[in-house]
Short mmCIF file of all heavy atoms in Angstrom, two decimals:
data_model
loop_
_atom_site.label_atom_id
_atom_site.label_comp_id
_atom_site.label_asym_id
_atom_site.label_seq_id
_atom_site.Cartn_x
_atom_site.Cartn_y
_atom_site.Cartn_z
N LEU A 122 -26.06 19.13 7.53
CA LEU A 122 -26.12 20.44 8.18
C LEU A 122 -26.56 21.55 7.22
O LEU A 122 -25.95 22.61 7.14
CB LEU A 122 -24.76 20.80 8.79
CG LEU A 122 -24.34 19.94 9.98
CD1 LEU A 122 -22.96 20.35 10.45
CD2 LEU A 122 -25.32 20.02 11.11
N THR A 123 -27.61 21.31 6.47
CA THR A 123 -28.20 22.36 5.64
C THR A 123 -29.62 22.62 6.12
O THR A 123 -30.19 21.84 6.88
CB THR A 123 -28.25 21.94 4.16
OG1 THR A 123 -29.18 20.86 4.03
CG2 THR A 123 -26.90 21.53 3.64
N ARG A 124 -30.18 23.73 5.66
CA ARG A 124 -31.52 24.09 6.10
C ARG A 124 -32.58 23.13 5.58
O ARG A 124 -33.67 23.06 6.11
CB ARG A 124 -31.86 25.51 5.63
CG ARG A 124 -31.06 26.56 6.38
CD ARG A 124 -31.35 27.95 5.84
NE ARG A 124 -30.90 28.08 4.46
CZ ARG A 124 -31.71 28.21 3.41
NH1 ARG A 124 -32.99 28.22 3.57
NH2 ARG A 124 -31.22 28.36 2.20
N SER A 125 -32.25 22.37 4.52
CA SER A 125 -33.24 21.47 3.96
C SER A 125 -33.31 20.13 4.68
O SER A 125 -34.20 19.34 4.44
CB SER A 125 -32.97 21.24 2.48
OG SER A 125 -31.67 20.69 2.32
N LYS A 126 -32.34 19.84 5.55
CA LYS A 126 -32.39 18.60 6.32
C LYS A 126 -31.83 18.86 7.71
O LYS A 126 -30.63 18.84 7.92
CB LYS A 126 -31.60 17.50 5.63
CG LYS A 126 -31.72 16.15 6.33
CD LYS A 126 -30.99 15.06 5.59
CE LYS A 126 -31.15 13.74 6.30
NZ LYS A 126 -30.42 12.64 5.63
N LEU A 127 -32.72 19.07 8.66
CA LEU A 127 -32.27 19.43 10.00
C LEU A 127 -32.25 18.24 10.95
O LEU A 127 -31.81 18.37 12.08
CB LEU A 127 -33.18 20.53 10.56
CG LEU A 127 -33.12 21.84 9.78
CD1 LEU A 127 -34.09 22.84 10.34
CD2 LEU A 127 -31.71 22.40 9.81
N ASN A 128 -32.78 17.07 10.52
CA ASN A 128 -32.66 15.87 11.33
C ASN A 128 -31.31 15.23 11.06
O ASN A 128 -31.06 14.70 9.97
CB ASN A 128 -33.79 14.88 11.00
CG ASN A 128 -35.13 15.39 11.51
OD1 ASN A 128 -35.23 15.86 12.63
ND2 ASN A 128 -36.15 15.29 10.68
N ILE A 174 -31.13 13.69 15.95
CA ILE A 174 -31.45 14.88 16.74
C ILE A 174 -31.91 15.96 15.77
O ILE A 174 -31.49 15.99 14.62
CB ILE A 174 -30.24 15.36 17.57
CG1 ILE A 174 -29.06 15.72 16.64
CG2 ILE A 174 -29.83 14.33 18.58
CD1 ILE A 174 -27.91 16.37 17.38
N HIS A 175 -32.78 16.83 16.25
CA HIS A 175 -33.32 17.89 15.40
C HIS A 175 -32.69 19.22 15.83
O HIS A 175 -32.85 19.66 16.95
CB HIS A 175 -34.84 17.98 15.56
CG HIS A 175 -35.47 18.92 14.58
ND1 HIS A 175 -35.70 18.58 13.27
CD2 HIS A 175 -35.89 20.20 14.72
CE1 HIS A 175 -36.25 19.60 12.64
NE2 HIS A 175 -36.37 20.59 13.49
N LEU A 176 -31.96 19.82 14.89
CA LEU A 176 -31.31 21.09 15.18
C LEU A 176 -32.33 22.23 15.16
O LEU A 176 -33.27 22.23 14.37
CB LEU A 176 -30.23 21.38 14.14
CG LEU A 176 -29.09 20.37 14.04
CD1 LEU A 176 -28.14 20.78 12.93
CD2 LEU A 176 -28.36 20.25 15.35
N LYS A 177 -32.15 23.18 16.02
CA LYS A 177 -32.97 24.40 15.99
C LYS A 177 -32.51 25.26 14.82
O LYS A 177 -31.32 25.38 14.55
CB LYS A 177 -32.84 25.16 17.31
CG LYS A 177 -33.50 24.46 18.48
CD LYS A 177 -33.39 25.27 19.76
CE LYS A 177 -31.97 25.25 20.29
NZ LYS A 177 -31.87 25.88 21.62
N LEU A 178 -33.46 25.86 14.12
CA LEU A 178 -33.15 26.67 12.94
C LEU A 178 -33.36 28.14 13.25
O LEU A 178 -34.43 28.55 13.67
CB LEU A 178 -34.05 26.25 11.77
CG LEU A 178 -33.99 27.16 10.54
CD1 LEU A 178 -32.60 27.12 9.92
CD2 LEU A 178 -35.02 26.72 9.51
N ILE A 179 -32.33 28.92 13.04
CA ILE A 179 -32.42 30.37 13.19
C ILE A 179 -31.90 31.00 11.91
O ILE A 179 -30.74 30.80 11.56
CB ILE A 179 -31.59 30.87 14.40
CG1 ILE A 179 -32.06 30.18 15.69
CG2 ILE A 179 -31.67 32.38 14.52
CD1 ILE A 179 -33.48 30.50 16.07
N GLY A 180 -32.75 31.74 11.18
CA GLY A 180 -32.22 32.39 10.00
C GLY A 180 -33.24 32.69 8.94
O GLY A 180 -34.41 32.81 9.21
N VAL A 181 -32.77 32.75 7.71
CA VAL A 181 -33.59 33.25 6.61
C VAL A 181 -34.42 32.13 5.99
O VAL A 181 -34.15 30.96 6.18
CB VAL A 181 -32.71 33.89 5.51
CG1 VAL A 181 -31.95 35.05 6.06
CG2 VAL A 181 -31.76 32.85 4.94
N GLN A 182 -35.43 32.55 5.23
CA GLN A 182 -36.25 31.69 4.38
C GLN A 182 -36.88 30.53 5.13
O GLN A 182 -36.88 29.39 4.68
CB GLN A 182 -35.41 31.16 3.21
CG GLN A 182 -34.98 32.27 2.26
CD GLN A 182 -34.26 31.77 1.04
OE1 GLN A 182 -34.03 30.58 0.91
NE2 GLN A 182 -33.92 32.67 0.14
N ASN A 183 -37.43 30.80 6.31
CA ASN A 183 -38.23 29.79 6.97
C ASN A 183 -39.48 29.55 6.15
O ASN A 183 -40.12 30.49 5.71
CB ASN A 183 -38.64 30.28 8.38
CG ASN A 183 -37.43 30.59 9.22
OD1 ASN A 183 -36.73 29.70 9.63
ND2 ASN A 183 -37.19 31.86 9.47
N GLU A 184 -39.84 28.29 5.95
CA GLU A 184 -40.98 27.99 5.09
C GLU A 184 -42.28 27.90 5.87
O GLU A 184 -43.34 27.74 5.29
CB GLU A 184 -40.72 26.70 4.33
CG GLU A 184 -39.56 26.84 3.35
CD GLU A 184 -39.35 25.60 2.51
OE1 GLU A 184 -40.09 24.63 2.72
OE2 GLU A 184 -38.47 25.62 1.65
N GLU A 185 -42.24 27.99 7.18
CA GLU A 185 -43.46 27.96 7.98
C GLU A 185 -43.52 29.22 8.83
O GLU A 185 -42.54 29.61 9.46
CB GLU A 185 -43.48 26.72 8.88
CG GLU A 185 -43.52 25.41 8.09
CD GLU A 185 -43.60 24.21 9.01
OE1 GLU A 185 -43.95 24.39 10.19
OE2 GLU A 185 -43.29 23.11 8.55
N ALA A 186 -44.71 29.80 8.86
CA ALA A 186 -44.87 31.06 9.60
C ALA A 186 -44.57 30.88 11.08
O ALA A 186 -44.07 31.80 11.74
CB ALA A 186 -46.29 31.59 9.41
N LYS A 187 -44.85 29.69 11.62
CA LYS A 187 -44.67 29.48 13.06
C LYS A 187 -43.20 29.54 13.45
O LYS A 187 -42.88 29.66 14.64
CB LYS A 187 -45.27 28.14 13.47
CG LYS A 187 -44.59 26.94 12.85
CD LYS A 187 -45.27 25.66 13.26
CE LYS A 187 -44.58 24.44 12.67
NZ LYS A 187 -45.25 23.19 13.05
N GLN A 188 -42.28 29.41 12.47
CA GLN A 188 -40.86 29.46 12.80
C GLN A 188 -40.35 30.88 12.93
O GLN A 188 -39.23 31.11 13.33
CB GLN A 188 -40.06 28.73 11.72
CG GLN A 188 -40.34 27.23 11.66
CD GLN A 188 -39.57 26.56 10.55
OE1 GLN A 188 -39.24 27.18 9.56
NE2 GLN A 188 -39.29 25.28 10.71
N THR A 189 -41.16 31.85 12.59
CA THR A 189 -40.71 33.23 12.59
C THR A 189 -40.42 33.73 14.00
O THR A 189 -39.40 34.37 14.25
CB THR A 189 -41.75 34.13 11.92
OG1 THR A 189 -41.92 33.70 10.59
CG2 THR A 189 -41.31 35.58 11.94
N GLN A 190 -41.30 33.43 14.96
CA GLN A 190 -41.15 33.98 16.30
C GLN A 190 -39.87 33.53 16.99
O GLN A 190 -39.19 34.36 17.62
CB GLN A 190 -42.38 33.61 17.15
CG GLN A 190 -42.47 34.40 18.46
CD GLN A 190 -42.45 35.90 18.24
OE1 GLN A 190 -43.16 36.40 17.38
NE2 GLN A 190 -41.65 36.62 19.00
N PRO A 191 -39.48 32.24 16.90
CA PRO A 191 -38.19 31.85 17.51
C PRO A 191 -37.01 32.64 16.96
O PRO A 191 -36.06 32.93 17.68
CB PRO A 191 -38.07 30.35 17.16
CG PRO A 191 -39.47 29.90 16.99
CD PRO A 191 -40.20 31.06 16.40
N VAL A 192 -37.07 32.98 15.67
CA VAL A 192 -35.99 33.76 15.08
C VAL A 192 -35.93 35.14 15.73
O VAL A 192 -34.86 35.62 16.13
CB VAL A 192 -36.21 33.91 13.55
CG1 VAL A 192 -35.15 34.82 12.95
CG2 VAL A 192 -36.18 32.55 12.89
N LEU A 193 -37.08 35.79 15.85
CA LEU A 193 -37.12 37.13 16.44
C LEU A 193 -36.67 37.10 17.90
O LEU A 193 -35.97 38.01 18.37
CB LEU A 193 -38.53 37.70 16.32
CG LEU A 193 -39.04 37.90 14.88
CD1 LEU A 193 -40.47 38.40 14.89
CD2 LEU A 193 -38.15 38.86 14.11
N ASP A 194 -37.07 36.04 18.62
CA ASP A 194 -36.65 35.92 20.03
C ASP A 194 -35.14 35.75 20.14
O ASP A 194 -34.50 36.33 21.03
CB ASP A 194 -37.36 34.73 20.68
CG ASP A 194 -38.86 34.95 20.81
OD1 ASP A 194 -39.30 36.13 20.73
OD2 ASP A 194 -39.59 33.96 21.00
N PHE A 195 -34.56 34.96 19.23
CA PHE A 195 -33.12 34.73 19.25
C PHE A 195 -32.37 36.04 18.98
O PHE A 195 -31.39 36.36 19.65
CB PHE A 195 -32.76 33.68 18.20
CG PHE A 195 -31.30 33.30 18.18
CD1 PHE A 195 -30.82 32.29 18.99
CD2 PHE A 195 -30.41 33.96 17.35
CE1 PHE A 195 -29.48 31.94 18.97
CE2 PHE A 195 -29.07 33.62 17.32
CZ PHE A 195 -28.61 32.60 18.13
N ILE A 196 -32.86 36.78 17.98
CA ILE A 196 -32.21 38.05 17.63
C ILE A 196 -32.30 39.03 18.79
O ILE A 196 -31.33 39.73 19.12
CB ILE A 196 -32.85 38.65 16.37
CG1 ILE A 196 -32.67 37.71 15.19
CG2 ILE A 196 -32.26 40.01 16.06
CD1 ILE A 196 -31.24 37.34 14.93
N VAL A 209 -20.41 25.66 8.59
CA VAL A 209 -20.51 24.24 8.26
C VAL A 209 -21.01 23.98 6.84
O VAL A 209 -20.81 22.89 6.30
CB VAL A 209 -21.42 23.51 9.26
CG1 VAL A 209 -20.78 23.46 10.64
CG2 VAL A 209 -22.80 24.18 9.33
N SER A 210 -21.66 24.95 6.21
CA SER A 210 -22.09 24.76 4.83
C SER A 210 -22.50 26.11 4.25
O SER A 210 -22.63 27.10 4.98
CB SER A 210 -23.27 23.77 4.73
OG SER A 210 -24.42 24.30 5.35
N GLU A 212 -25.08 27.79 0.94
CA GLU A 212 -26.07 27.56 -0.11
C GLU A 212 -26.31 28.88 -0.82
O GLU A 212 -26.96 29.77 -0.27
CB GLU A 212 -27.37 27.04 0.48
CG GLU A 212 -27.22 25.78 1.29
CD GLU A 212 -28.46 25.51 2.14
OE1 GLU A 212 -29.39 24.90 1.60
OE2 GLU A 212 -28.49 25.93 3.30
N ILE A 215 -26.21 32.32 1.07
CA ILE A 215 -26.55 32.10 2.47
C ILE A 215 -25.49 31.23 3.11
O ILE A 215 -25.09 30.19 2.56
CB ILE A 215 -27.94 31.46 2.59
CG1 ILE A 215 -29.01 32.41 2.04
CG2 ILE A 215 -28.26 31.10 4.03
CD1 ILE A 215 -30.36 31.78 1.92
N LEU A 216 -25.03 31.65 4.29
CA LEU A 216 -24.01 30.91 5.04
C LEU A 216 -24.66 30.26 6.25
O LEU A 216 -25.45 30.88 6.96
CB LEU A 216 -22.90 31.86 5.48
CG LEU A 216 -22.28 32.75 4.38
CD1 LEU A 216 -21.22 33.66 4.97
CD2 LEU A 216 -21.69 31.89 3.26
N ASN A 217 -24.31 28.98 6.50
CA ASN A 217 -24.88 28.23 7.63
C ASN A 217 -23.80 27.99 8.68
O ASN A 217 -22.75 27.42 8.40
CB ASN A 217 -25.44 26.90 7.15
CG ASN A 217 -26.56 27.08 6.15
OD1 ASN A 217 -27.44 27.91 6.34
ND2 ASN A 217 -26.53 26.30 5.08
N PHE A 218 -24.10 28.41 9.92
CA PHE A 218 -23.16 28.27 11.03
C PHE A 218 -23.77 27.37 12.11
O PHE A 218 -24.95 27.49 12.43
CB PHE A 218 -22.84 29.63 11.65
CG PHE A 218 -22.06 30.54 10.74
CD1 PHE A 218 -22.71 31.34 9.80
CD2 PHE A 218 -20.68 30.61 10.81
CE1 PHE A 218 -22.02 32.18 8.96
CE2 PHE A 218 -19.96 31.46 9.97
CZ PHE A 218 -20.63 32.24 9.04
N LEU A 219 -22.93 26.47 12.64
CA LEU A 219 -23.38 25.61 13.74
C LEU A 219 -22.94 26.25 15.06
O LEU A 219 -21.76 26.47 15.30
CB LEU A 219 -22.77 24.21 13.60
CG LEU A 219 -23.31 23.15 14.55
CD1 LEU A 219 -24.81 22.96 14.34
CD2 LEU A 219 -22.59 21.83 14.37
N TYR A 220 -23.96 26.51 15.91
CA TYR A 220 -23.71 27.20 17.17
C TYR A 220 -24.14 26.31 18.32
O TYR A 220 -25.25 25.76 18.34
CB TYR A 220 -24.48 28.52 17.18
CG TYR A 220 -24.54 29.21 18.53
CD1 TYR A 220 -23.38 29.72 19.11
CD2 TYR A 220 -25.73 29.36 19.20
CE1 TYR A 220 -23.42 30.34 20.34
CE2 TYR A 220 -25.80 29.99 20.43
CZ TYR A 220 -24.64 30.48 21.01
OH TYR A 220 -24.68 31.10 22.23
N LYS A 222 -23.58 23.43 19.17
CA LYS A 222 -23.82 22.03 18.81
C LYS A 222 -25.29 21.65 18.64
O LYS A 222 -25.61 20.48 18.42
CB LYS A 222 -23.18 21.09 19.84
CG LYS A 222 -21.67 21.20 19.92
CD LYS A 222 -21.09 20.13 20.82
CE LYS A 222 -19.56 20.22 20.86
NZ LYS A 222 -18.96 19.17 21.70
N ASP A 223 -26.22 22.62 18.72
CA ASP A 223 -27.64 22.26 18.57
C ASP A 223 -28.44 23.27 17.76
O ASP A 223 -29.66 23.14 17.61
CB ASP A 223 -28.30 22.09 19.95
CG ASP A 223 -28.34 23.39 20.73
OD1 ASP A 223 -27.79 24.40 20.26
OD2 ASP A 223 -28.96 23.39 21.81
N THR A 224 -27.78 24.30 17.25
CA THR A 224 -28.50 25.36 16.54
C THR A 224 -27.82 25.67 15.22
O THR A 224 -26.60 25.87 15.18
CB THR A 224 -28.57 26.65 17.39
OG1 THR A 224 -29.20 26.34 18.64
CG2 THR A 224 -29.38 27.72 16.67
N LEU A 225 -28.59 25.70 14.14
CA LEU A 225 -28.07 26.06 12.84
C LEU A 225 -28.53 27.49 12.53
O LEU A 225 -29.72 27.78 12.48
CB LEU A 225 -28.60 25.11 11.76
CG LEU A 225 -27.96 25.25 10.38
CD1 LEU A 225 -26.50 24.82 10.42
CD2 LEU A 225 -28.72 24.43 9.35
N ILE A 226 -27.57 28.38 12.33
CA ILE A 226 -27.85 29.79 12.06
C ILE A 226 -27.60 30.07 10.58
O ILE A 226 -26.48 29.87 10.10
CB ILE A 226 -26.98 30.72 12.93
CG1 ILE A 226 -27.20 30.42 14.41
CG2 ILE A 226 -27.30 32.18 12.63
CD1 ILE A 226 -26.27 31.19 15.33
N SER A 227 -28.62 30.51 9.88
CA SER A 227 -28.48 30.86 8.47
C SER A 227 -28.54 32.37 8.34
O SER A 227 -29.46 33.00 8.86
CB SER A 227 -29.61 30.23 7.64
OG SER A 227 -29.53 28.83 7.69
N LEU A 228 -27.55 32.97 7.64
CA LEU A 228 -27.52 34.43 7.57
C LEU A 228 -26.84 34.88 6.29
O LEU A 228 -26.29 34.08 5.52
CB LEU A 228 -26.81 35.00 8.80
CG LEU A 228 -25.40 34.48 9.14
CD1 LEU A 228 -24.34 35.14 8.27
CD2 LEU A 228 -25.09 34.72 10.61
N PHE A 262 -24.78 40.14 15.47
CA PHE A 262 -26.06 40.37 14.78
C PHE A 262 -26.40 41.85 14.79
O PHE A 262 -26.38 42.51 15.82
CB PHE A 262 -27.17 39.57 15.46
CG PHE A 262 -26.93 38.08 15.42
CD1 PHE A 262 -26.53 37.40 16.55
CD2 PHE A 262 -27.07 37.38 14.24
CE1 PHE A 262 -26.29 36.04 16.52
CE2 PHE A 262 -26.84 36.02 14.19
CZ PHE A 262 -26.44 35.35 15.34
N PHE A 279 -41.12 36.90 6.73
CA PHE A 279 -39.90 36.19 7.06
C PHE A 279 -38.81 37.17 7.47
O PHE A 279 -38.57 38.16 6.77
CB PHE A 279 -39.39 35.39 5.85
CG PHE A 279 -40.30 34.30 5.43
CD1 PHE A 279 -40.57 34.08 4.09
CD2 PHE A 279 -40.90 33.49 6.37
CE1 PHE A 279 -41.41 33.06 3.68
CE2 PHE A 279 -41.74 32.46 5.98
CZ PHE A 279 -42.00 32.25 4.64
N PRO A 280 -38.11 36.92 8.58
CA PRO A 280 -36.99 37.78 8.95
C PRO A 280 -35.73 37.40 8.18
O PRO A 280 -35.37 36.23 8.09
CB PRO A 280 -36.82 37.51 10.45
CG PRO A 280 -37.35 36.13 10.65
CD PRO A 280 -38.41 35.91 9.60
N LEU A 282 -31.92 37.59 8.39
CA LEU A 282 -30.93 37.79 9.44
C LEU A 282 -29.62 38.30 8.84
O LEU A 282 -29.09 37.71 7.90
CB LEU A 282 -30.69 36.47 10.17
CG LEU A 282 -29.75 36.46 11.36
CD1 LEU A 282 -30.20 37.46 12.40
CD2 LEU A 282 -29.70 35.06 11.95
#
Side-chain angles (χ1 to χ4, degrees):
L122 293 177
T123 67
R124 290 177 295 112
S125 59
K126 185 177 180 181
L127 296 177
N128 289 315
I174 61 173
H175 188 78
L176 300 178
K177 290 182 288 187
L178 171 64
I179 302 297
V181 299
Q182 295 185 357
N183 301 289
E184 295 184 358
E185 296 182 18
K187 65 182 181 181
Q188 294 178 333
T189 300
Q190 193 56 46
V192 176
L193 298 177
D194 293 342
F195 183 88
I196 298 305
V209 292
S210 66
E212 303 166 85
I215 296 171
L216 309 178
N217 298 316
F218 293 85
L219 189 61
Y220 168 66
K222 297 187 179 182
D223 65 355
T224 303
L225 189 67
I226 303 174
S227 297
L228 54 79
F262 299 106
F279 295 137
L282 184 56

